[in-house]
mmCIF file of all heavy atoms in Angstrom:
data_model
loop_
_atom_site.group_PDB
_atom_site.id
_atom_site.type_symbol
_atom_site.label_atom_id
_atom_site.label_comp_id
_atom_site.label_asym_id
_atom_site.label_seq_id
_atom_site.Cartn_x
_atom_site.Cartn_y
_atom_site.Cartn_z
ATOM 1 N N PRO O 219 -12.508 -34.633 9.349
ATOM 2 C CA PRO O 219 -13.304 -34.402 10.489
ATOM 3 C C PRO O 219 -14.304 -33.220 10.223
ATOM 4 O O PRO O 219 -14.125 -32.557 9.179
ATOM 5 C CB PRO O 219 -12.326 -33.996 11.621
ATOM 6 C CG PRO O 219 -11.128 -33.464 10.876
ATOM 7 C CD PRO O 219 -11.106 -34.112 9.538
ATOM 8 N N ILE O 220 -15.268 -33.053 11.115
ATOM 9 C CA ILE O 220 -16.305 -32.100 10.856
ATOM 10 C C ILE O 220 -16.570 -31.194 12.114
ATOM 11 O O ILE O 220 -16.446 -31.728 13.226
ATOM 12 C CB ILE O 220 -17.675 -32.841 10.568
ATOM 13 C CG1 ILE O 220 -17.478 -33.799 9.347
ATOM 14 C CG2 ILE O 220 -18.830 -31.886 10.374
ATOM 15 C CD1 ILE O 220 -18.402 -35.017 9.404
ATOM 16 N N GLN O 221 -16.877 -29.930 11.906
ATOM 17 C CA GLN O 221 -17.246 -29.117 13.017
ATOM 18 C C GLN O 221 -18.453 -28.220 12.624
ATOM 19 O O GLN O 221 -18.553 -27.781 11.500
ATOM 20 C CB GLN O 221 -16.122 -28.217 13.515
ATOM 21 C CG GLN O 221 -15.569 -27.225 12.449
ATOM 22 C CD GLN O 221 -14.387 -26.406 12.902
ATOM 23 O OE1 GLN O 221 -14.020 -26.449 14.123
ATOM 24 N NE2 GLN O 221 -13.834 -25.580 12.010
ATOM 25 N N SER O 222 -19.319 -28.056 13.603
ATOM 26 C CA SER O 222 -20.473 -27.170 13.348
ATOM 27 C C SER O 222 -21.103 -26.714 14.658
ATOM 28 O O SER O 222 -20.530 -26.916 15.754
ATOM 29 C CB SER O 222 -21.509 -27.857 12.461
ATOM 30 O OG SER O 222 -22.450 -26.914 12.003
ATOM 31 N N HIS O 223 -22.334 -26.075 14.526
ATOM 32 C CA HIS O 223 -23.032 -25.608 15.756
ATOM 33 C C HIS O 223 -24.286 -26.499 15.903
ATOM 34 O O HIS O 223 -24.884 -26.907 14.927
ATOM 35 C CB HIS O 223 -23.448 -24.183 15.549
ATOM 36 C CG HIS O 223 -22.291 -23.193 15.475
ATOM 37 N ND1 HIS O 223 -21.737 -22.824 14.276
ATOM 38 C CD2 HIS O 223 -21.645 -22.553 16.460
ATOM 39 C CE1 HIS O 223 -20.730 -21.947 14.579
ATOM 40 N NE2 HIS O 223 -20.644 -21.757 15.891
ATOM 41 N N LEU O 224 -24.732 -26.590 17.164
ATOM 42 C CA LEU O 224 -25.901 -27.388 17.420
ATOM 43 C C LEU O 224 -26.696 -26.936 18.674
ATOM 44 O O LEU O 224 -26.120 -26.657 19.697
ATOM 45 C CB LEU O 224 -25.443 -28.886 17.723
ATOM 46 C CG LEU O 224 -26.541 -29.898 17.980
ATOM 47 C CD1 LEU O 224 -27.369 -30.168 16.712
ATOM 48 C CD2 LEU O 224 -25.906 -31.202 18.503
ATOM 49 N N SER O 225 -28.035 -26.741 18.446
ATOM 50 C CA SER O 225 -28.927 -26.489 19.578
ATOM 51 C C SER O 225 -28.405 -25.476 20.580
ATOM 52 O O SER O 225 -28.281 -25.692 21.769
ATOM 53 C CB SER O 225 -29.237 -27.839 20.343
ATOM 54 O OG SER O 225 -29.799 -28.739 19.469
ATOM 55 N N GLU O 226 -28.116 -24.282 19.975
ATOM 56 C CA GLU O 226 -27.446 -23.247 20.783
ATOM 57 C C GLU O 226 -28.390 -22.325 21.461
ATOM 58 O O GLU O 226 -28.208 -21.910 22.602
ATOM 59 C CB GLU O 226 -26.509 -22.429 19.835
ATOM 60 C CG GLU O 226 -25.818 -21.271 20.487
ATOM 61 C CD GLU O 226 -24.819 -20.574 19.539
ATOM 62 O OE1 GLU O 226 -24.688 -21.026 18.403
ATOM 63 O OE2 GLU O 226 -24.204 -19.618 20.030
ATOM 64 N N ASN O 227 -29.524 -22.029 20.768
ATOM 65 C CA ASN O 227 -30.407 -20.952 21.186
ATOM 66 C C ASN O 227 -31.817 -21.252 20.802
ATOM 67 O O ASN O 227 -32.047 -21.827 19.723
ATOM 68 C CB ASN O 227 -29.846 -19.671 20.524
ATOM 69 C CG ASN O 227 -30.761 -18.496 20.610
ATOM 70 O OD1 ASN O 227 -31.820 -18.449 19.923
ATOM 71 N ND2 ASN O 227 -30.391 -17.531 21.409
ATOM 72 N N PRO O 228 -32.851 -20.846 21.610
ATOM 73 C CA PRO O 228 -34.212 -21.249 21.311
ATOM 74 C C PRO O 228 -34.691 -20.775 19.893
ATOM 75 O O PRO O 228 -35.375 -21.524 19.179
ATOM 76 C CB PRO O 228 -35.006 -20.598 22.416
ATOM 77 C CG PRO O 228 -34.068 -20.423 23.526
ATOM 78 C CD PRO O 228 -32.720 -20.236 22.906
ATOM 79 N N SER O 229 -34.356 -19.511 19.503
ATOM 80 C CA SER O 229 -34.857 -19.067 18.241
ATOM 81 C C SER O 229 -34.211 -19.766 17.054
ATOM 82 O O SER O 229 -34.822 -20.107 16.025
ATOM 83 C CB SER O 229 -34.498 -17.539 18.005
ATOM 84 O OG SER O 229 -34.711 -16.849 19.175
ATOM 85 N N GLU O 230 -32.943 -20.114 17.220
ATOM 86 C CA GLU O 230 -32.195 -20.894 16.205
ATOM 87 C C GLU O 230 -32.836 -22.252 16.099
ATOM 88 O O GLU O 230 -33.054 -22.799 14.992
ATOM 89 C CB GLU O 230 -30.703 -20.979 16.686
ATOM 90 C CG GLU O 230 -29.841 -21.873 15.819
ATOM 91 C CD GLU O 230 -28.896 -22.734 16.612
ATOM 92 O OE1 GLU O 230 -29.089 -22.917 17.860
ATOM 93 O OE2 GLU O 230 -27.897 -23.163 16.075
ATOM 94 N N GLN O 231 -33.155 -22.876 17.273
ATOM 95 C CA GLN O 231 -33.700 -24.232 17.206
ATOM 96 C C GLN O 231 -35.038 -24.252 16.519
ATOM 97 O O GLN O 231 -35.318 -25.107 15.682
ATOM 98 C CB GLN O 231 -33.825 -24.734 18.651
ATOM 99 C CG GLN O 231 -33.949 -26.240 18.706
ATOM 100 C CD GLN O 231 -33.860 -26.735 20.192
ATOM 101 O OE1 GLN O 231 -34.225 -26.009 21.122
ATOM 102 N NE2 GLN O 231 -33.398 -27.978 20.354
ATOM 103 N N LYS O 232 -35.889 -23.210 16.806
ATOM 104 C CA LYS O 232 -37.195 -23.155 16.126
ATOM 105 C C LYS O 232 -37.018 -23.006 14.597
ATOM 106 O O LYS O 232 -37.716 -23.554 13.835
ATOM 107 C CB LYS O 232 -37.962 -21.923 16.664
ATOM 108 C CG LYS O 232 -38.657 -22.211 17.925
ATOM 109 C CD LYS O 232 -39.947 -21.368 18.081
ATOM 110 C CE LYS O 232 -40.488 -21.534 19.456
ATOM 111 N NZ LYS O 232 -39.654 -20.832 20.535
ATOM 112 N N TRP O 233 -36.046 -22.170 14.249
ATOM 113 C CA TRP O 233 -35.781 -21.928 12.853
ATOM 114 C C TRP O 233 -35.401 -23.258 12.144
ATOM 115 O O TRP O 233 -35.886 -23.584 11.066
ATOM 116 C CB TRP O 233 -34.635 -20.923 12.749
ATOM 117 C CG TRP O 233 -34.411 -20.307 11.422
ATOM 118 C CD1 TRP O 233 -35.272 -20.381 10.304
ATOM 119 C CD2 TRP O 233 -33.322 -19.507 11.022
ATOM 120 N NE1 TRP O 233 -34.733 -19.671 9.322
ATOM 121 C CE2 TRP O 233 -33.521 -19.120 9.663
ATOM 122 C CE3 TRP O 233 -32.155 -19.040 11.651
ATOM 123 C CZ2 TRP O 233 -32.601 -18.342 8.976
ATOM 124 C CZ3 TRP O 233 -31.258 -18.232 10.939
ATOM 125 C CH2 TRP O 233 -31.478 -17.893 9.624
ATOM 126 N N VAL O 234 -34.537 -24.042 12.814
ATOM 127 C CA VAL O 234 -34.106 -25.309 12.227
ATOM 128 C C VAL O 234 -35.317 -26.249 12.109
ATOM 129 O O VAL O 234 -35.492 -26.937 11.121
ATOM 130 C CB VAL O 234 -33.012 -25.947 13.064
ATOM 131 C CG1 VAL O 234 -32.678 -27.360 12.617
ATOM 132 C CG2 VAL O 234 -31.725 -25.077 13.019
ATOM 133 N N GLU O 235 -36.201 -26.232 13.094
ATOM 134 C CA GLU O 235 -37.440 -27.080 13.019
ATOM 135 C C GLU O 235 -38.233 -26.719 11.784
ATOM 136 O O GLU O 235 -38.716 -27.643 11.083
ATOM 137 C CB GLU O 235 -38.293 -26.849 14.272
ATOM 138 C CG GLU O 235 -37.899 -27.797 15.375
ATOM 139 C CD GLU O 235 -38.561 -27.360 16.716
ATOM 140 O OE1 GLU O 235 -39.650 -26.775 16.697
ATOM 141 O OE2 GLU O 235 -37.911 -27.606 17.750
ATOM 142 N N SER O 236 -38.323 -25.407 11.510
ATOM 143 C CA SER O 236 -39.119 -25.051 10.324
ATOM 144 C C SER O 236 -38.406 -25.322 8.993
ATOM 145 O O SER O 236 -39.021 -25.602 7.999
ATOM 146 C CB SER O 236 -39.632 -23.628 10.413
ATOM 147 O OG SER O 236 -38.520 -22.735 10.233
ATOM 148 N N LEU O 237 -37.066 -25.193 9.073
ATOM 149 C CA LEU O 237 -36.296 -25.478 7.800
ATOM 150 C C LEU O 237 -36.219 -27.012 7.489
ATOM 151 O O LEU O 237 -36.113 -27.381 6.327
ATOM 152 C CB LEU O 237 -34.921 -24.968 7.964
ATOM 153 C CG LEU O 237 -34.639 -23.483 7.960
ATOM 154 C CD1 LEU O 237 -33.234 -23.115 8.435
ATOM 155 C CD2 LEU O 237 -34.873 -22.902 6.581
#
Side-chain angles (χ1 to χ4, degrees):
I220 301 152
Q221 60 181 355
S222 193
H223 295 91
L224 182 68
S225 301
E226 176 175 0
N227 168 287
S229 320
E230 173 220 23
Q231 199 172 28
K232 278 210 188 71
W233 194 12
V234 172
E235 272 166 30
S236 71
L237 289 167

